[in-house]
Amino acid sequence: DAKTTQPPSMDCAEGRAANLPCNHSTISGNEYVYWYRQIHSQGPQYIIHGLKNNETNEMASLIITEDRKSSTLILPHATLRDTAVYYCIVRVGDAGGTSYGKLTFGQGTILTVHP
Amino acid sequence: DVKVTQSSRYLVKRTGEKVFLECVQDMDHENMFWYRQDPGLGLRLIYFSYDVKMKEKGDIPEGYSVSREKKERFSLILESASTNQTSMYLCASSLWTGETQYFGPGTRLLVL
């Protein structure tokens, strides 16, 4: 799976949009971009994923650049409960073989939402 | 919504004890995973199961075993707990290999 680079930390004011960037310049054509978050002492929570088109769900939007070398997760109206570590992961969609589809989390971005 | 539950949020055990961690998913997923998460080391795969009674070793299976007798339940067993197995244990499930994985709340295990 391709490597990702994220800023170690970001701040956001409550009610404003939080834009979390991720670089994945070595991404392959069959690799998806996934986003998870982890609130302190809890299990990771799936947020959204995409291949090349922008995606939106009830939690967030995912914007993937045309060359697919970077992406941005957007939380449109951040709340205090969105304070968490956000992980950007790149992985193949059909991950058979020895990888078994395992997830590899990097260091992520610590997002702090303040009042 | 996918629901993955783990038997305990916090567990304290003594060295040498046999420890059972249970995970249950309610979405009829084929695949289930056990990871451990440690500061600075990220998520590491211990074992993976792609069907009932089927299992595969992950990256760090030593000291662990697993059991999957029913599709919805995947158990992680520490045969003889050691202090270096103190960690956060995370269970996940996915419909198929390569599909989105959904995690349980985690079990924080302390081995004294």
Side-chain angles (χ1 to χ4, degrees):
Chain A
D1 294 337
K3 188 176 168 59
T4 62
T5 304
Q6 298 177 253
S9 64
M10 293 183 67
D11 286 333
C12 179
E14 192 177 17
R16 305 297 293 267
N19 298 287
L20 292 93
C22 180
N23 285 323
H24 31 79
S25 58
T26 60
I27 192 169
S28 300
N30 63 345
E31 288 182 313
Y32 287 74
V33 179
Y34 275 79
W35 284 84
Y36 284 80
R37 72 181 182 185
Q38 191 169 22
I39 296 168
H40 183 61
S41 292
Q42 296 183 24
Q45 179 187 22
Y46 165 75
I47 302 173
I48 199 167
H49 75 282
L51 183 62
K52 51 186 176 183
N53 297 324
N54 297 338
E55 301 288 344
T56 296
N57 63 19
E58 65 279 2
M59 287 183 69
S61 295
L62 174 61
I63 308 297
I64 303 174
T65 57
E66 198 168 332
D67 63 7
R68 302 209 322 124
K69 293 186 177 182
S70 66
S71 60
T72 301
L73 177 74
I74 301 171
L75 307 178
H77 306 287
T79 71
L80 299 178
R81 286 182 293 183
D82 292 321
T83 292
V85 182
Y86 286 77
Y87 296 99
C88 169
I89 301 151
V90 170
R91 61 185 287 236
V92 294
D94 178 17
T98 57
S99 72
Y100 310 124
K102 72 178 180 183
L103 290 176
T104 302
F105 282 24
Q107 296 306 307
T109 296
I110 300 171
L111 174 69
T112 303
V113 181
H114 49 85
Chain B
D1 273 356
V2 176
K3 187 90 171 158
V4 181
T5 56
Q6 294 183 229
S7 50
S8 305
R9 290 300 309 275
Y10 300 95
L11 213 49
V12 180
K13 295 291 181 182
R14 298 220 171 263
T15 302
E17 278 193 79
K18 191 168 186 175
V19 182
F20 292 87
L21 302 182
E22 293 231 308
C23 175
V24 177
Q25 51 92 6
D26 67 355
M27 285 302 291
D28 204 34
H29 283 179
E30 298 291 328
N31 296 345
M32 297 187 75
F33 304 79
W34 275 106
Y35 295 88
R36 63 178 281 179
Q37 186 177 31
D38 301 286
L41 296 177
L43 220 58
R44 291 182 291 169
L45 181 66
I46 305 171
Y47 265 98
F48 158 68
S49 170
Y50 54 91
D51 201 352
V52 174
K53 298 191 188 292
M54 306 304 288
K55 61 187 179 186
E56 291 284 349
K57 292 179 181 178
D59 297 321
I60 51 162
E62 297 78 21
Y64 303 95
S65 61
V66 290
S67 172
R68 193 161 179 208
E69 296 296 319
K70 294 185 177 181
K71 192 174 186 179
E72 66 271 18
R73 190 178 298 268
F74 192 34
S75 302
L76 180 70
I77 303 147
L78 286 65
E79 296 291 342
S80 177
S82 63
T83 54
N84 62 14
Q85 292 179 309
T86 290
S87 186
M88 171 75 135
Y89 288 88
L90 293 163
C91 175
S93 74
S94 68
L95 185 59
W96 303 108
T97 301
E99 292 285 329
T100 300
Q101 290 183 28
Y102 297 91
F103 286 83
T107 295
R108 195 167 286 282
L109 173 67
L110 173 62
V111 183
L112 300 173

